[in-house]
Amino acid sequence: MKLTPWILTLIAAAGLIPARASSHAIHPPAEDSDVTVYFARIGPMANAVWKTGETTALQLFGRIGVHLRFANARPAQPDSGAINLLVLNRAPKNLKPHVLGAAKTDPEYGPVVFVFYDRVLEFCASTYTEETGIVLGYVIAHELGHALRSEPGHSQAGVMKGHWDQKDAAAMLKHLVSFTRADSERIHLGLADRKLAKTAPTGGN
Ligand SMILES: [Zn+2]
């Protein structure tokens, strides 16, 4: 799927498109279950909310043996295994109600996942920083789950459930919601596919 121009403009504005000039960033070799997430936040958000969101997403993936690495600067050398995360202040106007995020794949930029912070706040309906951050982390984990797992779609339960209600939110705030075992397997299968794609000889096509 080709990303629409406004998305590309946002990615560029967020500094997610690598600079053309070379840089000398050094990256440690990644383990198979390591995933780098280049993130950008567009619009105001309390730093404590973001930090809680990041920690929550890290923990959710940590429980299934996947190590996320959040970085806010993209290296000049394209990193084909990385995922781009854009946290937008506002959902696009034409977006259906109750949609909290989205996951796309762009032929040039690879996986790009979106989180719409106004929708997170609406769903969360809490003024507590900690609670908002936890729900934010769940939305981030859900969208990254779409980008990583081996098949599209949703599950009946867990982080990859298609529609969350207030009961789910209450369970999330107690950290009781995880990836299901089946989703964990799909994510590990997806990671294995990504590794194969990365190591496959290039050229042709
Ligand atoms: Zn979803």
Side-chain angles (χ1 to χ4, degrees):
M1 182 190 299
K2 196 81 180 142
L3 295 182
T4 54
W6 72 264
I7 289 174
L8 292 179
T9 309
L10 280 170
I11 296 172
L16 284 174
I17 292 176
R20 293 283 173 237
S22 68
S23 88
H24 301 284
I26 295 162
H27 291 275
E31 297 290 327
D32 295 350
S33 57
D34 281 5
V35 177
T36 301
V37 180
Y38 293 113
F39 72 89
R41 286 148 51 191
I42 298 167
M45 176 192 297
N47 213 36
V49 170
W50 169 254
K51 279 289 153 205
T52 304
E54 202 181 270
T55 306
T56 302
L58 281 176
Q59 287 170 346
L60 288 169
F61 276 95
R63 283 182 207 164
I64 59 165
V66 176
H67 177 241
L68 294 186
R69 194 177 70 92
F70 284 94
N72 61 4
R74 202 182 156 92
Q77 280 302 315
D79 180 350
S80 61
I83 297 176
N84 302 293
L85 162 66
L86 283 176
V87 183
L88 306 184
N89 205 25
R90 232 174 251 155
K93 280 202 179 77
N94 56 355
L95 194 76
K96 283 189 288 185
H98 311 302
V99 174
L100 308 178
K104 313 260 180 215
T105 301
D106 179 74
E108 191 173 347
Y109 302 109
V112 184
V113 305
F114 299 88
V115 171
F116 308 117
Y117 190 49
D118 56 341
R119 298 289 180 86
V120 173
L121 291 174
E122 202 177 280
F123 172 71
C124 182
S126 170
T127 51
Y128 294 107
T129 299
E130 178 77 11
E131 295 189 348
T132 309
I134 291 170
V135 173
L136 172 71
Y138 271 94
V139 180
I140 292 171
H142 178 98
E143 298 307 333
L144 292 176
H146 279 306
L148 289 172
R149 66 184 217 160
S150 55
E151 51 189 274
H154 287 110
S155 294
Q156 299 297 318
V159 176
M160 297 312 294
K161 192 176 164 187
H163 183 82
W164 296 342
D165 57 27
Q166 290 308 312
K167 256 165 84 182
D168 296 311
M172 286 172 193
L173 295 182
K174 294 181 192 153
H175 300 280
L176 295 176
V177 181
S178 300
F179 287 104
T180 62
R181 185 184 288 258
D183 279 322
S184 167
E185 280 165 14
R186 289 185 189 104
I187 287 169
H188 281 281
L189 271 176
L191 285 169
D193 287 348
R194 285 158 67 82
K195 194 190 160 208
L196 274 180
K198 243 180 136 173
T199 51
T202 49
N205 187 29

